[in-house]
Amino acid sequence: MKKFTSLFLLLVAVFCLSVPWTQKAEAARIAVLPLQIDPAVEADKAKDADTPDYGALYWELAAMLYKYPSFDMVGDDDLAKAVPAEGLKKFDRTALEDVANKTGADIVVVMRLDKLREKAINYRYEPMLDMFMQGEFASLNRVTGKYYHTDIYEKDSIEEQLTVRRNARQDYFVKNAKRYMKRAVELKQ
């Protein structure tokens, strides 16, 4: 009887662990609009070979943060129909709602990069780099009803020795863009 009871409990445990008890959630459709880069930043890219491709970094971040099981990214063809070639003029709520309606997206993310520069400071005890990033970020989350808009003015100083083997502007852009892109999908209201 003892063996029968333990076998029965084992079968019940296997059944409980193998049968899904909840419904699967549908992936939220997210529209990540192309990064709008100021022509002055593009001119810096043409002058300096070490300047990274910020648009490619932006798309890599989007692909990393908004993976498929949780998010379904809107395709380029749908975005091209919904957004003009020169990008959005204003990042207000109505413009993002218009993009969301045209693409069928639940979440819309858009970012503009106006300035990203570094300045060497050698008069301190340790040589430092002053990093400055200016732009604009907006997102609309129709799942939570949350609209987020901010002007980006980020300034930071890092030791110049830390930048010998890596690109400081690239790291600084990725750090700040990632922080803002994560805010777009927060579930808090």
Side-chain angles (χ1 to χ4, degrees), residues 44-116:
D44 288 345
K45 185 177 172 184
K47 287 189 288 185
D48 188 7
D50 290 337
T51 303
D53 183 7
Y54 298 115
L57 290 172
Y58 179 74
W59 285 117
E60 286 177 19
L61 269 174
M64 182 183 71
L65 292 174
Y66 308 133
K67 292 184 180 173
Y68 174 67
S70 300
F71 301 101
D72 181 19
M73 290 182 70
V74 174
D76 292 338
D77 297 335
D78 294 335
L79 285 177
K81 293 175 187 173
V83 180
E86 64 274 359
L88 293 178
K89 299 290 184 200
K90 293 191 284 184
F91 291 177
D92 59 348
R93 186 180 192 112
T94 57
L96 295 183
E97 284 177 349
D98 186 43
V99 171
N101 290 333
K102 288 180 182 177
T103 60
D106 299 320
I107 302 169
V108 179
V109 175
V110 62
M111 184 174 178
R112 178 181 298 130
L113 180 63
D114 295 329
K115 290 181 187 175
L116 182 59

Side-chain angles (χ1 to χ4, degrees), residues 34-45 51 54-55 58 86 88-91 110-118 132-138 149-154 169 172-173 176-177 180:
L35 178 66
Q36 297 178 17
I37 303 175
D38 191 75
V41 176
E42 289 291 338
D44 288 345
K45 185 177 172 184
T51 303
Y54 298 115
Y58 179 74
E86 64 274 359
L88 293 178
K89 299 290 184 200
K90 293 191 284 184
F91 291 177
V110 62
M111 184 174 178
R112 178 181 298 130
L113 180 63
D114 295 329
K115 290 181 187 175
L116 182 59
R117 64 175 183 256
E118 60 186 19
F132 178 71
M133 181 173 163
Q134 182 179 350
E136 189 177 3
F137 179 84
H149 177 266
T150 186
D151 291 327
I152 301 171
Y153 291 101
E154 298 290 336
R169 282 178 285 181
Y172 193 67
F173 173 77
N176 287 309
Y180 286 109

